Amino acid sequence: MNAPAPTGLLAELTHRCPLACPYCSNPLDLIAAARELDTESWARVFREAADLGVLQTHLSGGEPASRRDLEALVASARDAGLYTNLITSGIGLTRDRLARLRNAGLDHVQLSLQDVDAASSDTIGGYAGFQRKRDVAAWTVELGLAFTLNAPLHRANVHNAARFIELALELGAGRIEIAHVQYYGWALANRAALMPTREQLDATVDVVADARTRLAGQLVIDFVLPDYYADAPKPCMGGWGREVIVVTPDGRAMPCHAAANIPSLTFENVRDASLARIWNDSAAFNAYRGTAWMKEPCRGCPQAEIDWGGCRCQALALAGDPAAADPACSLSSAHGRMGELALAEATTAPPPYRYRRFEK
Amino acid sequence: MTIPRFKPGVRLHRDRVRDRWVLLAPERVVGLDDIAYAILEKVDGSASLDEIATSLAAEYDADAGEIATDASVLLADLAARGYVAA
Ligand code: SF4
Ligand code: SF4
């Protein structure tokens, strides 16, 4: 198949993380440190990605600062010609380390806050890190690095969307990402504790619309809506095997960070094959690329090349078939059930969190 | 006198695979045509809009006024999208 050139590489450097966020999208089966790719392998992955057309890499995890070689990894990604985004909880960063990362060529720091105050933030994250996060924000700005505040919204903090925006301004962020939690991995296991109501969601839509007008040119606001109350799916990952390559801590290359949930797929490892070969020729990347795999109602749908049928993992989870239309689509036979499920969970007392931790 | 500069984390990059120039920014890639690239290549945090237009006019043997208009439209657009401060 003729594959388009990818633009993004999501490099999941490690699953180690001091935090334990119940909304984490990592898989339940976390990868142990001993299985992580080494520095040199990542450097090769970055070069191969750049040769394929990738322009930006997202250094993520887990907590990427848990890797002692993070400075070397940033330097090798920059050497390869990639724009480097660090997706971090802030824990594991000091001012000195941030300065070293900047000198290694880091372009952008994306710092997550679990809520707008310490007590709630630390409860959600399962770690007393709020003050350190504020320090990391200040150092990032002081060092002249681009700074985005990440605000993952769910039931416990969904009423704080406006305060997150105020906090982003106060901390000197150039951008905020307000993202309703997507239900993969640990977030799926915690869905009943995380699901907001429709009214809570609608209120955040208004807050964002107002702030976007008010703060145009001052603060870039990206907003991710939740699928469960949607009527049309998102083009998940920009379409399967079209824009993004995910590489897991142990080297498996996947079209989406949740793709491992689809049991019919096997993923090749960058230890065994080049990224170009995996991207162009592997069965997993070709499984849902383009439109040939689609069934009714996606087949022949005018949206087919716009949303690419939405998310395959969600189709599997809620419609029982990874080649079905994303249940977020109003044409999906599972669409009604998805909304009912969300409503039922959102209006029942939340169960306790199952914190994201290595369980074995 | 406006002196345009890129905001933190915004830089020009040669996209060799697609044979074009792009502006890279946090979570964004902006494809550039030749004119946009020629203008942005002169944004160094010290040259003013007028100076940029004058030097481009000389290089391309074009009208400085027209170039200044093109440049200010482009930079205003990029400023509204958070890439440039003026
Ligand atoms: S979401 Fe929380 S637990 Fe998961 S990697 Fe990020 S900081 Fe760690
Ligand atoms: S039917 Fe399929 S392609 Fe059409 S809008 Fe729904 S998910 Fe998208």
Side-chain angles (χ1 to χ4, degrees):
Chain A
M1 179 168 314
N2 213 348
T7 50
L9 170 72
L10 177 61
E12 290 185 343
L13 299 177
T14 178
H15 277 163
R16 287 173 284 152
C17 182
L19 275 72
C21 310
Y23 62 79
C24 185
S25 65
N26 284 157
L28 298 180
D29 191 9
L30 295 166
I31 292 160
R35 287 163 63 201
E36 289 174 7
L37 289 181
D38 62 13
T39 319
E40 215 7 81
S41 303
W42 276 114
R44 177 173 55 79
V45 168
F46 294 139
R47 288 193 297 272
E48 291 179 354
D51 288 343
L52 258 179
V54 168
L55 298 169
Q56 298 213 0
T57 187
H58 302 85
L59 305 171
S60 172
E63 173 49 59
S66 300
R67 295 246 348 187
R68 286 168 181 244
D69 57 353
L70 183 60
E71 291 87 333
L73 294 170
V74 166
S76 64
R78 263 312 279 268
D79 276 352
L82 299 176
Y83 186 95
T84 50
N85 303 276
L86 180 67
I87 321 294
T88 181
S89 69
I91 308 306
L93 295 175
T94 60
R95 193 188 176 287
D96 279 355
R97 193 157 193 218
L98 264 175
R100 288 200 300 275
L101 289 166
R102 184 197 59 183
N103 296 341
L106 183 63
D107 286 294
H108 170 216
V109 174
Q110 200 159 309
L111 174 75
S112 61
L113 280 190
Q114 281 59 42
D115 206 342
V116 295
D117 65 84
S120 172
S121 185
D122 295 347
T123 301
I124 295 168
Y127 183 91
F130 190 75
Q131 189 50 49
R132 171 51 64 98
K133 287 162 177 282
R134 290 194 64 122
D135 293 342
V136 169
W139 297 326
T140 301
V141 173
E142 181 201 327
L143 289 165
L145 286 157
F147 171 39
T148 291
L149 185 67
N150 261 359
L153 294 186
H154 47 85
R155 196 163 172 175
N157 64 8
V158 65
H159 55 287
N160 283 332
R163 289 182 63 197
F164 265 118
I165 292 169
E166 291 317 306
L167 189 55
L169 292 171
E170 182 194 323
L171 295 173
R175 179 172 167 273
I176 184 171
E177 199 170 303
I178 302 179
H180 282 273
V181 163
Q182 307 288 105
Y183 296 101
Y184 304 113
W186 291 85
L188 185 59
N190 282 295
R191 192 180 59 197
L194 298 170
M195 186 68 74
T197 66
R198 174 101 222 185
E199 291 68 35
Q200 289 173 322
L201 155 65
D202 290 345
T204 64
V205 173
D206 294 343
V207 164
V208 168
D210 165 69
R212 276 185 172 152
T213 333
R214 204 162 36 89
L215 303 171
Q218 192 186 348
L219 184 68
V220 176
I221 304 178
D222 281 354
F223 186 44
V224 178
L225 284 162
D227 292 310
Y228 280 61
Y229 293 114
D231 285 322
K234 299 187 187 78
C236 191
M237 307 305 278
W240 187 275
R242 299 189 63 79
E243 293 180 6
V244 180
I245 306 175
V246 179
V247 176
T248 60
D250 60 349
R252 282 168 302 148
M254 314 196 301
C256 159
H257 57 283
N261 293 319
I262 303 177
S264 54
L265 299 178
T266 46
F267 300 98
E268 295 187 41
N269 198 295
V270 297
R271 299 182 211 255
D272 310 319
S274 75
L275 217 47
R277 219 199 58 72
I278 298 175
W279 174 259
N280 288 311
D281 303 327
S282 71
F285 274 86
N286 282 314
Y288 305 109
R289 185 176 261 155
T291 55
W293 55 273
M294 288 180 176
K295 304 174 176 177
E296 297 287 322
C298 295
R299 171 164 293 181
C301 173
Q303 295 294 310
E305 296 200 350
I306 296 166
D307 65 36
W308 304 99
C311 171
R312 300 301 87 231
C313 312
Q314 208 150 261
L316 173 65
L318 296 163
D321 175 4
D326 186 332
C329 176
S330 57
L331 300 174
S332 154
S333 54
H335 184 66
R337 217 162 54 78
M338 188 184 211
E340 286 159 23
L341 213 153
L343 188 65
E345 289 182 344
T347 51
T348 310
Y353 291 146
R354 177 175 168 192
Y355 280 105
R356 172 225 191 263
R357 292 197 168 106
F358 285 85
E359 291 185 329
K360 283 177 250 172
Chain B
M1 192 177 60
T2 15
I3 298 178
R5 58 175 177 80
F6 292 123
K7 290 218 177 153
V10 180
R11 58 185 172 87
L12 290 167
H13 176 74
R14 179 70 193 165
D15 180 355
R16 58 189 157 87
V17 169
R18 296 168 193 82
D19 195 24
R20 60 172 183 170
W21 284 93
V22 291
L23 197 61
L24 297 180
E27 301 291 327
R28 300 282 196 282
V29 175
V30 186
L32 302 173
D33 60 23
D34 291 347
I35 298 170
Y37 171 70
I39 295 166
L40 293 180
E41 198 239 344
K42 300 239 183 277
V43 170
D44 60 5
S46 62
S48 72
L49 188 56
D50 287 347
E51 286 162 353
I52 290 172
T54 311
S55 83
L56 283 172
E59 255 172 69
Y60 293 93
D61 196 17
D63 179 65
E66 258 170 50
I67 290 184
T69 311
D70 281 353
S72 64
V73 169
L74 173 75
L75 292 168
D77 173 50
L78 293 176
R81 289 151 73 188
Y83 304 133
V84 167

